[in-house]
Amino acid sequence: MEDKAFLRAALALLSLYAVIGTAAEIVEVRWEADIGVIHIILDSWPGVWDGWRFFLNGVEIPMEGGWGRPVIRPDAPLSQPPTGLFVGTLPWLSGLERVDFPCCGTIQLYIPGEGFTNEFYYNLADLGCRTASTVECPREWMVHEGDLVIGEGEIHVIKGGKFFQKGNVYVREGATLVIRDTEFMMGRGEVPTVHVYFFVEPGARLIIENSRIYPPPPSLTEPGLICVMNQGEARMVNSETQIHYFDMSEGARFEMVGSTMVNPIGGLLQVTGGETHVVDSTIGALGLRVPAGGHLFAEGLHSGVYFESWDVHRLIPEADYELVLERTTLLKDELKGEYRHGPYERGWIFFLDPDSHVRLVDCELRKVFLEIRNETVEFHDLRVGVPSSLQYRDIVLEDVVVMGQWPFEIHNARVAIYDSDYLFLQPSGYSTVRLVRSHMVEFIPRNFFGTMIFEDASWTEAGEIIGGVPYHSEANRFTMRGSLRIEGLRENLQWKDAWVTREFELFVRDREGRPVVGAEVRVGGWVYRTDKRGRAVFRMTFDEENYNRPTRVEIRFHGGTIAEVNVDFFTSSPIEVRAR
């Protein structure tokens, strides 16, 4: 009888372990600064909601606490499904500033049919958490505000613990920065660009050992994309990084061993010079420069490659830099959903000198950068996700599937692009760029003083109109005109110390849709009149102070106001107005 009782108890215990083993896991706890709540992230959603129980520091607390007490609910409708839970209060979803819920402790959930999750320790005290709790949380993060500059000849070691850097990092000539056994979180702080940088100057050293390098969650701050501009010497060993791209310049050296360089939309090793050796590692994307006079002939090139032992000269014999990959994986270009196409980094990327000799046939690439200098040229029918072909000088792409975007660097040139999508344009000098029935997904002018002309074109996703930043663009002062739809850009565009003059077309029609001839269009102290088509053309100059601020445009006819409309940089042109 005792044996049977023991067997029943053992089976019950095994059954309990089976339930516990299948429970969802808490993988992260964040502070959502914009709404002042705590966000619990699960590795999977169980598919049920009724009957959940919540344990804080080992003690069960109510999940529907009522006004002024913590309320715990899914972070999205069950049909989506959710990714986890919000800890907030009523009216749902209100912040925790008046709620007694600590910014640190342990959280555990009980899920019916699955059992207990893991017990997860969290500490958000250094990450902006503010509640009415009197619990004193230990400080875990060393926070550095502003650029971190390692001066010439200095050796600076960041070792152990957690370090939150808000701004760029500069390692000056002859200096050394060591990041060892550290969680290194890096946000933009006051940096005006989307990217936040490590700048390693010639003769400087950056050493990353047994560390994690990653951006803060979007909920915490402007996270930015972490980049390394290496002109000196860098070494990365046994480290997990979410570096967006790592740029190798002429004269630089980089050794990467047993490490990863991958984030959800990036992880590019961009090699245009120097000596690079990667061993037992994983990267998200590989960008290679083909120099003037260099040859690149490839057929059937695809992402998702394991390199047992590979030298760049197998692909580009005249490459004037060294790159060796050993037991290294280049991830497959499997970005999905909103990240499938656009300004993201996966798989193969090439930077083609205009005097290079290139034949790419039936290849799958993320991007192919073309550089246009001091000439007039046209391109047609460049598409993403489908086979496209292109010929420019001695560069021939035949049935190439570009997954990300079509990038062009345009220097003092006249370029027209027709019936194309997902364009990434970097104009400079006094270039004139014309887009006809085409779609621009990223726009980064650099010292640009020319003109952008749009004809039934669109601009979405991303852009940086920046001046006065040495590593980005010294100045931007250019003109945009024509028919352009701007969509989904308002939250993503970065702007600083730059000026753009936009020319808008405005059509005024009466209630029956007929043109209103001779109407006055008043904007910014100027008066314009509509022609026989009811059309007026006016200009507005935008800077970082007013680009996102509406300006009132008044339309008057026979002494009375017949319509008003607000206009800012993001307003699509032409503008259609109906008289009231």
Side-chain angles (χ1 to χ4, degrees):
M1 293 296 292
E2 291 181 359
D3 290 342
K4 289 183 179 180
F6 175 79
L7 181 59
R8 284 196 298 271
L11 289 173
L13 187 60
L14 287 172
S15 176
L16 177 61
Y17 283 154
V19 169
I20 293 174
T22 60
E25 294 278 310
I26 301 173
V27 295
E28 186 178 1
V29 176
R30 302 174 181 168
W31 174 250
E32 302 285 354
D34 54 340
I35 50 178
V37 303
I38 290 173
H39 195 180
I40 302 167
I41 308 295
L42 302 176
D43 65 347
S44 62
W45 183 257
V48 296
W49 172 236
D50 292 339
W52 286 46
R53 297 162 64 191
F54 190 95
F55 295 83
L56 177 64
N57 297 324
V59 178
E60 185 172 1
I61 67 171
M63 299 182 69
E64 291 289 341
W67 190 289
R69 293 188 293 275
V71 177
I72 300 110
R73 294 179 183 172
D75 60 8
L78 299 179
S79 58
Q80 286 194 6
T83 60
L85 306 174
F86 281 139
V87 181
T89 191
L90 298 176
W92 188 256
L93 175 67
S94 296
L96 295 170
E97 62 272 8
R98 298 183 180 179
V99 177
D100 184 9
F101 194 96
C103 289
C104 60
T106 62
I107 291 173
Q108 189 173 30
L109 305 169
Y110 176 82
I111 303 171
E114 292 202 6
F116 287 94
T117 68
N118 56 317
E119 188 176 52
F120 190 94
Y121 173 76
Y122 71 100
N123 188 342
L124 306 173
D126 294 321
L127 305 179
C129 180
R130 297 293 181 270
T131 75
S133 173
T134 58
V135 172
E136 299 243 357
C137 297
R139 295 291 174 174
E140 294 185 334
W141 290 86
M142 178 181 292
V143 180
H144 184 271
E145 301 268 3
D147 292 342
L148 175 61
V149 180
I150 314 304
E152 293 185 19
E154 182 182 353
I155 298 176
H156 188 84
V157 180
I158 300 173
K159 183 178 180 180
K162 300 179 178 182
F163 191 93
F164 186 7
Q165 166 61 22
K166 298 182 179 181
N168 291 327
V169 175
Y170 294 85
V171 189
R172 300 300 191 194
E173 185 174 354
T176 298
L177 171 61
V178 180
I179 301 173
R180 180 178 294 136
D181 303 323
T182 297
E183 281 194 47
F184 192 99
M185 189 162 62
M186 190 171 183
R188 287 168 55 189
E190 299 300 319
V191 173
T193 63
V194 168
H195 303 86
V196 58
Y197 294 88
F198 287 89
F199 291 101
V200 185
E201 294 186 356
R205 299 175 69 210
L206 171 64
I207 300 171
I208 302 170
E209 296 178 348
N210 306 309
S211 294
R212 291 182 60 213
I213 312 288
Y214 59 94
S219 60
L220 179 61
T221 182
E222 292 286 350
L225 298 169
I226 301 173
C227 307
V228 178
M229 307 298 289
N230 183 28
Q231 296 179 295
E233 181 179 343
R235 176 175 168 81
M236 181 190 300
V237 180
N238 297 332
S239 294
E240 177 188 338
T241 76
Q242 294 187 33
I243 293 170
H244 186 65
Y245 78 82
F246 192 113
D247 182 88
M248 285 293 297
S249 298
E250 182 179 354
R253 298 181 63 186
F254 177 41
E255 183 179 28
M256 178 177 177
V257 180
S259 298
T260 60
M261 188 160 59
V262 177
N263 72 31
I265 61 170
L268 167 63
L269 175 59
Q270 182 170 301
V271 185
T272 61
E275 300 178 17
T276 305
H277 190 192
V278 182
V279 182
D280 297 324
S281 296
T282 298
I283 58 177
L286 181 61
L288 304 174
R289 180 175 63 89
V290 182
H295 292 78
L296 168 61
F297 296 158
E299 183 173 357
L301 195 65
H302 290 269
S303 60
V305 182
Y306 174 77
F307 301 97
E308 180 64 29
S309 180
W310 184 82
D311 188 304
V312 69
H313 295 98
R314 295 185 187 178
L315 189 62
I316 308 170
E318 297 87 0
D320 51 357
Y321 50 88
E322 302 294 327
L323 170 63
V324 175
L325 306 177
E326 297 183 53
R327 300 181 300 280
T328 291
T329 298
L330 170 64
L331 291 184
K332 187 170 178 57
D333 191 345
E334 293 182 314
L335 298 180
K336 294 181 173 60
E338 62 180 314
Y339 302 130
R340 184 163 184 255
H341 307 305
Y344 316 115
E345 316 294 352
R346 271 297 183 275
W348 293 96
I349 298 171
F350 291 107
F351 302 85
L352 308 181
D353 187 277
D355 293 322
S356 62
H357 310 285
V358 176
R359 300 288 185 279
L360 294 173
V361 180
D362 189 28
C363 294
E364 177 197 274
L365 311 172
R366 174 55 40 175
K367 308 174 188 180
V368 183
F369 279 81
L370 293 178
E371 184 178 347
I372 316 296
R373 287 186 176 274
N374 304 307
E375 59 182 311
T376 299
V377 65
E378 291 184 359
F379 297 96
H380 296 261
D381 301 308
L382 304 178
R383 305 289 183 181
V384 299
V386 297
S388 297
S389 298
L390 171 152
Q391 182 167 0
Y392 168 64
R393 295 192 174 192
D394 197 28
I395 296 170
V396 177
L397 279 57
E398 182 179 336
D399 292 331
V400 167
V401 178
V402 168
M403 295 301 297
Q405 52 190 186
W406 290 91
F408 290 86
E409 296 182 24
I410 302 168
H411 309 277
N412 290 316
R414 298 179 65 87
V415 176
I417 304 176
Y418 297 82
D419 302 301
S420 299
D421 63 9
Y422 286 89
L423 300 170
F424 172 19
L425 302 185
Q426 298 183 46
S428 63
Y430 291 89
S431 298
T432 299
V433 183
R434 184 169 169 234
L435 300 189
V436 181
R437 298 180 300 277
S438 294
H439 164 221
M440 182 169 67
V441 74
E442 187 172 8
F443 179 61
I444 304 182
R446 300 182 188 275
N447 298 323
F448 182 39
F449 307 96
T451 303
M452 297 291 300
I453 303 172
F454 302 95
E455 298 178 29
D456 191 21
S458 63
W459 177 13
T460 68
E461 198 69 41
E464 293 183 355
I465 302 176
I466 304 289
V469 178
Y471 56 84
H472 189 278
S473 181
E474 294 293 343
N476 274 309
R477 188 185 291 268
F478 58 93
T479 299
M480 296 171 55
R481 59 184 174 87
S483 51
L484 174 66
R485 299 182 306 279
I486 299 181
E487 300 172 350
L489 186 66
R490 190 175 295 273
E491 300 302 322
N492 295 329
L493 180 66
Q494 309 298 309
W495 195 310
K496 181 178 175 62
D497 293 336
W499 292 264
V500 180
T501 297
R502 275 203 70 185
E503 184 178 275
F504 293 94
E505 277 190 302
L506 183 143
F507 290 87
V508 182
R509 306 188 188 280
D510 62 19
R511 295 177 182 177
E512 285 71 42
R514 295 171 300 200
V516 178
V517 181
E520 292 182 354
V521 177
R522 299 188 175 192
V523 53
W526 294 85
V527 178
Y528 309 83
R529 289 191 179 274
T530 58
D531 60 17
K532 62 183 180 181
R533 294 189 295 158
R535 172 182 177 268
V537 177
F538 64 92
R539 290 187 164 203
M540 296 179 63
T541 298
F542 296 97
D543 58 25
E544 65 182 289
E545 299 296 330
N546 70 355
Y547 79 97
N548 205 16
R549 190 173 64 220
T551 295
R552 180 169 167 265
V553 178
E554 180 185 17
I555 296 95
R556 295 177 62 84
F557 191 62
H558 292 325
T561 299
I562 61 171
E564 293 177 331
V565 63
N566 286 327
V567 174
D568 63 13
F569 177 80
F570 300 100
T571 301
S572 296
S573 179
I575 304 167
E576 298 283 346
V577 177
R578 285 292 181 103
R580 51 180 181 248

PDB file of all heavy atoms in Angstrom, residues 297-316:
ATOM      1  N   PHE A 297      31.453  39.609 -60.185  1.00  0.00           N
ATOM      2  CA  PHE A 297      30.617  38.773 -61.033  1.00  0.00           C
ATOM      3  C   PHE A 297      30.008  37.698 -60.136  1.00  0.00           C
ATOM      4  O   PHE A 297      30.740  36.914 -59.524  1.00  0.00           O
ATOM      5  CB  PHE A 297      31.417  38.112 -62.155  1.00  0.00           C
ATOM      6  CG  PHE A 297      32.010  39.094 -63.141  1.00  0.00           C
ATOM      7  CD1 PHE A 297      33.100  38.738 -63.919  1.00  0.00           C
ATOM      8  CD2 PHE A 297      31.486  40.372 -63.288  1.00  0.00           C
ATOM      9  CE1 PHE A 297      33.652  39.640 -64.831  1.00  0.00           C
ATOM     10  CE2 PHE A 297      32.027  41.277 -64.190  1.00  0.00           C
ATOM     11  CZ  PHE A 297      33.114  40.912 -64.961  1.00  0.00           C
ATOM     12  N   ALA A 298      28.687  37.689 -60.045  1.00  0.00           N
ATOM     13  CA  ALA A 298      28.030  36.686 -59.196  1.00  0.00           C
ATOM     14  C   ALA A 298      26.683  36.311 -59.792  1.00  0.00           C
ATOM     15  O   ALA A 298      25.981  37.145 -60.358  1.00  0.00           O
ATOM     16  CB  ALA A 298      27.842  37.226 -57.783  1.00  0.00           C
ATOM     17  N   GLU A 299      26.339  35.048 -59.648  1.00  0.00           N
ATOM     18  CA  GLU A 299      25.042  34.545 -60.088  1.00  0.00           C
ATOM     19  C   GLU A 299      24.462  33.676 -58.977  1.00  0.00           C
ATOM     20  O   GLU A 299      25.160  32.858 -58.374  1.00  0.00           O
ATOM     21  CB  GLU A 299      25.177  33.729 -61.370  1.00  0.00           C
ATOM     22  CG  GLU A 299      23.848  33.242 -61.930  1.00  0.00           C
ATOM     23  CD  GLU A 299      23.992  32.593 -63.293  1.00  0.00           C
ATOM     24  OE1 GLU A 299      25.119  32.574 -63.831  1.00  0.00           O
ATOM     25  OE2 GLU A 299      22.977  32.113 -63.823  1.00  0.00           O
ATOM     26  N   GLY A 300      23.177  33.902 -58.667  1.00  0.00           N
ATOM     27  CA  GLY A 300      22.507  33.092 -57.652  1.00  0.00           C
ATOM     28  C   GLY A 300      22.956  33.374 -56.237  1.00  0.00           C
ATOM     29  O   GLY A 300      22.852  32.510 -55.357  1.00  0.00           O
ATOM     30  N   LEU A 301      23.444  34.590 -55.978  1.00  0.00           N
ATOM     31  CA  LEU A 301      23.901  34.945 -54.631  1.00  0.00           C
ATOM     32  C   LEU A 301      22.692  35.156 -53.724  1.00  0.00           C
ATOM     33  O   LEU A 301      21.774  35.898 -54.052  1.00  0.00           O
ATOM     34  CB  LEU A 301      24.733  36.222 -54.702  1.00  0.00           C
ATOM     35  CG  LEU A 301      25.591  36.590 -53.499  1.00  0.00           C
ATOM     36  CD1 LEU A 301      26.683  35.554 -53.290  1.00  0.00           C
ATOM     37  CD2 LEU A 301      26.213  37.969 -53.713  1.00  0.00           C
ATOM     38  N   HIS A 302      22.691  34.493 -52.563  1.00  0.00           N
ATOM     39  CA  HIS A 302      21.567  34.597 -51.634  1.00  0.00           C
ATOM     40  C   HIS A 302      22.075  34.727 -50.209  1.00  0.00           C
ATOM     41  O   HIS A 302      23.213  34.369 -49.894  1.00  0.00           O
ATOM     42  CB  HIS A 302      20.648  33.366 -51.754  1.00  0.00           C
ATOM     43  CG  HIS A 302      19.879  33.323 -53.030  1.00  0.00           C
ATOM     44  ND1 HIS A 302      18.628  33.870 -53.167  1.00  0.00           N
ATOM     45  CD2 HIS A 302      20.192  32.813 -54.245  1.00  0.00           C
ATOM     46  CE1 HIS A 302      18.196  33.695 -54.403  1.00  0.00           C
ATOM     47  NE2 HIS A 302      19.133  33.051 -55.082  1.00  0.00           N
ATOM     48  N   SER A 303      21.207  35.238 -49.341  1.00  0.00           N
ATOM     49  CA  SER A 303      21.553  35.381 -47.924  1.00  0.00           C
ATOM     50  C   SER A 303      21.376  34.042 -47.214  1.00  0.00           C
ATOM     51  O   SER A 303      20.972  33.048 -47.803  1.00  0.00           O
ATOM     52  CB  SER A 303      20.658  36.445 -47.281  1.00  0.00           C
ATOM     53  OG  SER A 303      19.294  36.071 -47.390  1.00  0.00           O
ATOM     54  N   GLY A 304      21.666  34.045 -45.911  1.00  0.00           N
ATOM     55  CA  GLY A 304      21.562  32.805 -45.152  1.00  0.00           C
ATOM     56  C   GLY A 304      22.720  31.882 -45.474  1.00  0.00           C
ATOM     57  O   GLY A 304      22.531  30.759 -45.940  1.00  0.00           O
ATOM     58  N   VAL A 305      23.955  32.360 -45.230  1.00  0.00           N
ATOM     59  CA  VAL A 305      25.158  31.631 -45.643  1.00  0.00           C
ATOM     60  C   VAL A 305      26.029  31.354 -44.417  1.00  0.00           C
ATOM     61  O   VAL A 305      26.211  32.215 -43.557  1.00  0.00           O
ATOM     62  CB  VAL A 305      25.966  32.456 -46.672  1.00  0.00           C
ATOM     63  CG1 VAL A 305      27.192  31.675 -47.138  1.00  0.00           C
ATOM     64  CG2 VAL A 305      25.091  32.843 -47.852  1.00  0.00           C
ATOM     65  N   TYR A 306      26.569  30.129 -44.370  1.00  0.00           N
ATOM     66  CA  TYR A 306      27.574  29.783 -43.364  1.00  0.00           C
ATOM     67  C   TYR A 306      28.926  29.723 -44.060  1.00  0.00           C
ATOM     68  O   TYR A 306      29.108  29.011 -45.049  1.00  0.00           O
ATOM     69  CB  TYR A 306      27.265  28.442 -42.704  1.00  0.00           C
ATOM     70  CG  TYR A 306      28.343  27.963 -41.761  1.00  0.00           C
ATOM     71  CD1 TYR A 306      28.470  28.515 -40.496  1.00  0.00           C
ATOM     72  CD2 TYR A 306      29.246  26.970 -42.155  1.00  0.00           C
ATOM     73  CE1 TYR A 306      29.472  28.085 -39.628  1.00  0.00           C
ATOM     74  CE2 TYR A 306      30.245  26.530 -41.295  1.00  0.00           C
ATOM     75  CZ  TYR A 306      30.349  27.098 -40.032  1.00  0.00           C
ATOM     76  OH  TYR A 306      31.345  26.672 -39.183  1.00  0.00           O
ATOM     77  N   PHE A 307      29.890  30.496 -43.558  1.00  0.00           N
ATOM     78  CA  PHE A 307      31.223  30.541 -44.137  1.00  0.00           C
ATOM     79  C   PHE A 307      32.171  29.717 -43.258  1.00  0.00           C
ATOM     80  O   PHE A 307      32.511  30.144 -42.153  1.00  0.00           O
ATOM     81  CB  PHE A 307      31.733  31.979 -44.215  1.00  0.00           C
ATOM     82  CG  PHE A 307      30.877  32.904 -45.036  1.00  0.00           C
ATOM     83  CD1 PHE A 307      29.933  33.722 -44.412  1.00  0.00           C
ATOM     84  CD2 PHE A 307      31.009  32.974 -46.407  1.00  0.00           C
ATOM     85  CE1 PHE A 307      29.151  34.595 -45.149  1.00  0.00           C
ATOM     86  CE2 PHE A 307      30.223  33.835 -47.154  1.00  0.00           C
ATOM     87  CZ  PHE A 307      29.298  34.647 -46.537  1.00  0.00           C
ATOM     88  N   GLU A 308      32.594  28.583 -43.746  1.00  0.00           N
ATOM     89  CA  GLU A 308      33.587  27.803 -43.014  1.00  0.00           C
ATOM     90  C   GLU A 308      34.936  28.527 -43.052  1.00  0.00           C
ATOM     91  O   GLU A 308      35.608  28.670 -42.040  1.00  0.00           O
ATOM     92  CB  GLU A 308      33.713  26.406 -43.613  1.00  0.00           C
ATOM     93  CG  GLU A 308      34.737  25.510 -42.926  1.00  0.00           C
ATOM     94  CD  GLU A 308      34.381  25.200 -41.480  1.00  0.00           C
ATOM     95  OE1 GLU A 308      33.177  25.168 -41.144  1.00  0.00           O
ATOM     96  OE2 GLU A 308      35.317  24.994 -40.678  1.00  0.00           O
ATOM     97  N   SER A 309      35.301  28.969 -44.243  1.00  0.00           N
ATOM     98  CA  SER A 309      36.505  29.769 -44.413  1.00  0.00           C
ATOM     99  C   SER A 309      36.370  30.513 -45.738  1.00  0.00           C
ATOM    100  O   SER A 309      36.295  29.899 -46.805  1.00  0.00           O
ATOM    101  CB  SER A 309      37.752  28.886 -44.416  1.00  0.00           C
ATOM    102  OG  SER A 309      38.917  29.680 -44.576  1.00  0.00           O
ATOM    103  N   TRP A 310      36.338  31.854 -45.658  1.00  0.00           N
ATOM    104  CA  TRP A 310      36.035  32.650 -46.854  1.00  0.00           C
ATOM    105  C   TRP A 310      36.837  33.933 -46.833  1.00  0.00           C
ATOM    106  O   TRP A 310      36.974  34.591 -45.801  1.00  0.00           O
ATOM    107  CB  TRP A 310      34.536  32.954 -46.875  1.00  0.00           C
ATOM    108  CG  TRP A 310      34.042  33.691 -48.087  1.00  0.00           C
ATOM    109  CD1 TRP A 310      33.727  33.164 -49.308  1.00  0.00           C
ATOM    110  CD2 TRP A 310      33.777  35.090 -48.186  1.00  0.00           C
ATOM    111  NE1 TRP A 310      33.289  34.142 -50.167  1.00  0.00           N
ATOM    112  CE2 TRP A 310      33.308  35.347 -49.500  1.00  0.00           C
ATOM    113  CE3 TRP A 310      33.892  36.166 -47.303  1.00  0.00           C
ATOM    114  CZ2 TRP A 310      32.957  36.616 -49.944  1.00  0.00           C
ATOM    115  CZ3 TRP A 310      33.545  37.437 -47.744  1.00  0.00           C
ATOM    116  CH2 TRP A 310      33.078  37.651 -49.047  1.00  0.00           C
ATOM    117  N   ASP A 311      37.354  34.294 -48.004  1.00  0.00           N
ATOM    118  CA  ASP A 311      38.120  35.520 -48.189  1.00  0.00           C
ATOM    119  C   ASP A 311      37.387  36.382 -49.208  1.00  0.00           C
ATOM    120  O   ASP A 311      36.932  35.882 -50.247  1.00  0.00           O
ATOM    121  CB  ASP A 311      39.521  35.184 -48.692  1.00  0.00           C
ATOM    122  CG  ASP A 311      40.444  36.395 -48.721  1.00  0.00           C
ATOM    123  OD1 ASP A 311      40.086  37.405 -49.360  1.00  0.00           O
ATOM    124  OD2 ASP A 311      41.531  36.324 -48.111  1.00  0.00           O
ATOM    125  N   VAL A 312      37.272  37.674 -48.942  1.00  0.00           N
ATOM    126  CA  VAL A 312      36.518  38.560 -49.817  1.00  0.00           C
ATOM    127  C   VAL A 312      37.049  38.566 -51.242  1.00  0.00           C
ATOM    128  O   VAL A 312      36.303  38.819 -52.200  1.00  0.00           O
ATOM    129  CB  VAL A 312      36.505  39.994 -49.239  1.00  0.00           C
ATOM    130  CG1 VAL A 312      37.889  40.629 -49.304  1.00  0.00           C
ATOM    131  CG2 VAL A 312      35.493  40.871 -49.965  1.00  0.00           C
ATOM    132  N   HIS A 313      38.331  38.239 -51.424  1.00  0.00           N
ATOM    133  CA  HIS A 313      38.906  38.277 -52.769  1.00  0.00           C
ATOM    134  C   HIS A 313      38.375  37.167 -53.665  1.00  0.00           C
ATOM    135  O   HIS A 313      38.582  37.216 -54.885  1.00  0.00           O
ATOM    136  CB  HIS A 313      40.439  38.248 -52.681  1.00  0.00           C
ATOM    137  CG  HIS A 313      40.996  39.467 -52.009  1.00  0.00           C
ATOM    138  ND1 HIS A 313      41.350  39.480 -50.677  1.00  0.00           N
ATOM    139  CD2 HIS A 313      41.224  40.728 -52.468  1.00  0.00           C
ATOM    140  CE1 HIS A 313      41.792  40.684 -50.352  1.00  0.00           C
ATOM    141  NE2 HIS A 313      41.731  41.464 -51.418  1.00  0.00           N
ATOM    142  N   ARG A 314      37.698  36.200 -53.073  1.00  0.00           N
ATOM    143  CA  ARG A 314      37.014  35.210 -53.911  1.00  0.00           C
ATOM    144  C   ARG A 314      35.879  35.852 -54.693  1.00  0.00           C
ATOM    145  O   ARG A 314      35.553  35.417 -55.798  1.00  0.00           O
ATOM    146  CB  ARG A 314      36.440  34.084 -53.048  1.00  0.00           C
ATOM    147  CG  ARG A 314      37.446  33.226 -52.327  1.00  0.00           C
ATOM    148  CD  ARG A 314      36.727  32.091 -51.619  1.00  0.00           C
ATOM    149  NE  ARG A 314      37.618  31.325 -50.763  1.00  0.00           N
ATOM    150  CZ  ARG A 314      37.227  30.308 -50.000  1.00  0.00           C
ATOM    151  NH1 ARG A 314      35.935  29.947 -50.004  1.00  0.00           N
ATOM    152  NH2 ARG A 314      38.085  29.665 -49.246  1.00  0.00           N
ATOM    153  N   LEU A 315      35.255  36.857 -54.109  1.00  0.00           N
ATOM    154  CA  LEU A 315      34.114  37.519 -54.732  1.00  0.00           C
ATOM    155  C   LEU A 315      34.524  38.794 -55.457  1.00  0.00           C
ATOM    156  O   LEU A 315      34.022  39.092 -56.555  1.00  0.00           O
ATOM    157  CB  LEU A 315      33.065  37.843 -53.657  1.00  0.00           C
ATOM    158  CG  LEU A 315      31.706  38.346 -54.125  1.00  0.00           C
ATOM    159  CD1 LEU A 315      30.996  37.285 -54.978  1.00  0.00           C
ATOM    160  CD2 LEU A 315      30.838  38.705 -52.922  1.00  0.00           C
ATOM    161  N   ILE A 316      35.453  39.563 -54.847  1.00  0.00           N
ATOM    162  CA  ILE A 316      35.908  40.831 -55.421  1.00  0.00           C
ATOM    163  C   ILE A 316      37.437  40.773 -55.476  1.00  0.00           C
ATOM    164  O   ILE A 316      38.124  41.173 -54.519  1.00  0.00           O
ATOM    165  CB  ILE A 316      35.441  42.028 -54.562  1.00  0.00           C
ATOM    166  CG1 ILE A 316      33.934  41.959 -54.317  1.00  0.00           C
ATOM    167  CG2 ILE A 316      35.813  43.352 -55.229  1.00  0.00           C
ATOM    168  CD1 ILE A 316      33.430  42.957 -53.294  1.00  0.00           C
TER     169      ILE A 316
END
